Amino acid sequence: MKIIEIPDKKIVYSGIQPSGTFTVGNYFGAMKNWVNLQEDYHSLFCVVDLHAITMPQNPEELRRRTYESIALLLALGINPDKSILYVQSMVPEHCELTWILNCCTYMGELSRMTQFKDKSQKQGENIRVGLFDYPVLMAADILLYQTDLVPVGNDQRQHVELARDIAIRFNQQFGHTFKVPEAYFGESGARIMSLQEPTRKMSKSDDNLNSFISLLDDPKTIIKKFKRAVTDSEMAVYHDREKKPGVSNLMEIYACATGNCLDDITTEFEGKGYGDFKAAVGEAVAETLLPVQRDYHRLLKEKDYLKQIMRTHSEKASMMAWKTLAKARKQVGFVTV
Ligand code: TYM
C-alpha cells in the first residue's frame, strides 16, 4: 500500500488538455493564476491526455503535444520544486475513481453540460461515451487530491459546479470522503474572446488562425493578428462588453499583459485611434511571450529532464491520489485484504 501525508497547506488543482497550441486565453484565464497560486498553496497541475482523447487525436501528435505541454508549463513559470506537474494517464487512480463517481452521477446532469452540447455536434451521430462522461473524469481529477481551489477560465465553471455536486452527494450517501472544492477566477482574463468573433470564446481548436494568439506565435504574427482584430466603428477605447465586445476584449488582454487596470487603459488611449491601441496591445503581448518562448525552445530539447519530471511527479501525484481512492473504495464497500 502506498502512503503519503496530505500536506497542511491548502490544495490547488487544475489541468489543461494537450490538444492544439495553448493560447493567450489559456494563459491569462488559467495558467497565469496557477503560477501565482503555487507560491502559497500546495499545487498540482495536470496535462490531461485522458480528456484529450474524448475528441479524435492523432496518437503521435498527442504524444508530442504532451511533451510540449510540460515544456510550455515549465517555461510559463510552473516551478517543479514547488508544484506537482504530471500527466493524467500516468496516474491510474483517475480512471478508477471516475468509475466510482459514474455510479453516483445522473445522465440528466451530464446532458445539461454546455461544453458537451457544443462538442457533441462535431461528432455527428456517433457521439462517444467518453465525451459524455468527460465531466465525471474532471470531477475525479479534482476530488482525488482533496482540492480546495480550482483555478480555471469561465468555460469550466459548470464542470467545477458538477464536481461539487458529486462530492456533496457522495459524502451524504457514504460518509465524508471528499473535500468540496471552489472554482477560482482571476480578476481579469477569465473569458478571453476570439479576435475575429468577440462574442465567442478564444479557442485553440478554432479553424481561423487569426481568431487566437498562440503562445508560440512570433512577435510579427502577434502584432498582425491584433491589427486585424474585429472592433467597431465608434473609435473610442472604453470597456463595455455588451456594446463593444471587441474593444473590451482587447482591453482585458492588455490589462492581463501589462497589469494596468481598465480605467487607466481608457485614460492611456483617450483621443487616440484604434490603430495605436491595437499596436500597443500587440506589442505588450509579444513582449510578455518572448522570454516564455525562449525558455520553451530550450526545455523542449531536454527530453530526459522532461521525462524525469513526468515520471517523478506522476509518482508523487499517484501517492496522494491513492490515499483518497482507498478511502472511497472502502466507503462504497469494496473488500480490502
Ligand atoms: P482546456 O484545456 O480547454 O483549457 C485549459 C484552461 O484554460 C482556460 N481557458 C480560457 N480561459 C479564458 N479565456 C479563454 N478563451 C479560455 N480558453 C481556455 C480553461 O477554462 C481552462 O482552465 N476540462 C479542462 C481541463 C481539466 C481540468 C481538470 C481543469 C481537466 N481536469 C480539473 C481543472 C481541474 C479543459 O478542457 O481545459
Side-chain angles (χ1 to χ4, degrees):
M1 151 128 39
K2 310 171 203 172
I3 295 176
I4 191 169
E5 281 313 305
I6 303 267
D8 307 336
K9 276 191 197 171
K10 287 202 167 183
I11 296 180
V12 157
Y13 186 94
S14 202
I16 185 157
Q17 296 192 50
S19 48
T21 325
F22 301 165
T23 68
V24 291
N26 297 125
Y27 179 47
F28 293 139
M31 284 117 81
K32 195 163 184 252
N33 297 326
W34 303 0
V35 173
N36 293 333
L37 289 168
Q38 71 178 341
E39 298 303 322
D40 298 317
Y41 292 85
H42 187 84
S43 306
L44 295 107
F45 302 115
C46 185
V47 175
V48 293
D49 51 355
L50 297 175
H51 278 90
I53 62 166
T54 59
M55 295 298 277
Q57 301 291 337
N58 171 311
E60 272 320 307
E61 231 172 75
L62 178 63
R63 217 180 327 274
R64 177 174 54 76
R65 285 201 166 128
T66 303
Y67 278 99
E68 290 171 356
S69 302
I70 296 282
L72 195 45
L73 288 169
L74 290 167
L76 285 167
I78 299 300
N79 180 342
D81 297 327
K82 289 192 172 146
S83 301
I84 296 180
L85 175 60
Y86 75 102
V87 178
Q88 191 182 28
S89 63
M90 291 172 76
V91 179
E93 284 82 358
H94 288 250
C95 290
E96 191 172 341
L97 185 63
T98 300
W99 184 255
I100 295 175
L101 299 182
N102 273 336
C103 299
C104 55
T105 305
Y106 307 137
M107 301 272 285
E109 286 174 313
L110 297 183
S111 312
R112 284 194 290 275
M113 295 292 119
T114 51
Q115 209 164 70
F116 170 71
K117 288 186 203 162
D118 290 349
K119 287 193 177 173
S120 56
Q121 280 175 1
K122 291 191 192 145
Q123 290 194 353
E125 285 193 357
N126 292 324
I127 299 163
R128 315 294 196 276
V129 175
L131 186 68
F132 188 63
D133 202 27
Y134 171 119
V136 184
L137 176 60
M138 182 161 158
D141 300 341
I142 297 168
L143 301 182
L144 267 177
Y145 299 94
Q146 303 295 340
T147 302
D148 293 279
L149 281 187
V150 187
V152 281
N154 200 50
D155 62 326
Q156 297 299 321
R157 185 188 288 271
Q158 202 184 22
H159 291 158
V160 180
E161 277 299 318
L162 180 72
R164 287 170 56 84
D165 292 345
I166 295 174
I168 292 168
R169 187 176 308 141
F170 187 100
N171 289 346
Q172 276 169 354
Q173 193 175 342
F174 296 106
H176 185 79
T177 308
F178 302 117
K179 193 171 268 180
V180 180
E182 304 266 347
Y184 173 96
F185 306 101
E187 266 171 39
S188 49
R191 225 165 159 239
I192 301 293
M193 310 309 269
S194 155
L195 299 184
Q196 292 300 311
E197 283 178 76
T199 48
R200 280 183 39 198
K201 182 187 87 162
M202 180 183 285
S203 165
K204 55 186 179 247
S205 49
D206 202 314
D207 292 335
N208 183 348
L209 298 183
N210 282 323
S211 73
F212 63 87
I213 305 288
S214 150
L215 297 188
L216 300 177
D217 279 343
D218 61 71
K220 260 195 190 155
T221 308
I222 294 174
I223 287 164
K224 199 170 68 196
K225 284 185 182 178
F226 277 113
K227 232 184 225 169
R228 292 187 181 158
V230 168
T231 47
D232 52 60
S233 53
E234 195 189 2
M235 298 307 262
V237 177
Y238 65 92
H239 195 268
D240 184 332
R241 261 190 188 263
E242 293 289 304
K243 269 179 34 203
K244 297 170 73 73
V247 169
S248 303
N249 188 39
L250 295 183
M251 286 180 78
E252 285 177 42
I253 293 174
Y254 191 60
C256 289
T258 58
N260 296 347
C261 70
L262 296 176
D263 284 346
D264 288 350
I265 297 170
T266 308
T267 313
E268 184 180 343
F269 293 100
E270 224 171 276
K272 293 188 185 153
Y274 284 166
D276 288 345
F277 172 52
K278 287 177 171 180
V281 182
E283 273 157 32
V285 170
E287 213 170 283
T288 306
L289 295 184
L290 217 49
V292 174
Q293 295 175 353
R294 218 175 290 134
D295 283 353
Y296 167 76
H297 290 298
R298 177 181 55 76
L299 281 159
L300 204 54
K301 291 189 201 125
E302 299 179 28
K303 222 36 197 287
D304 286 342
Y305 173 65
L306 298 178
K307 279 186 184 166
Q308 184 221 325
I309 298 265
M310 289 187 198
R311 195 168 43 242
T312 56
H313 285 226
S314 297
E315 280 168 10
K316 283 192 222 174
S318 174
M319 285 191 277
M320 279 178 76
W322 173 252
K323 195 165 174 175
T324 302
L325 179 61
K327 185 156 187 203
R329 288 173 55 101
K330 189 165 165 236
Q331 303 283 60
V332 297
F334 294 165
V335 168
T336 39
V337 287

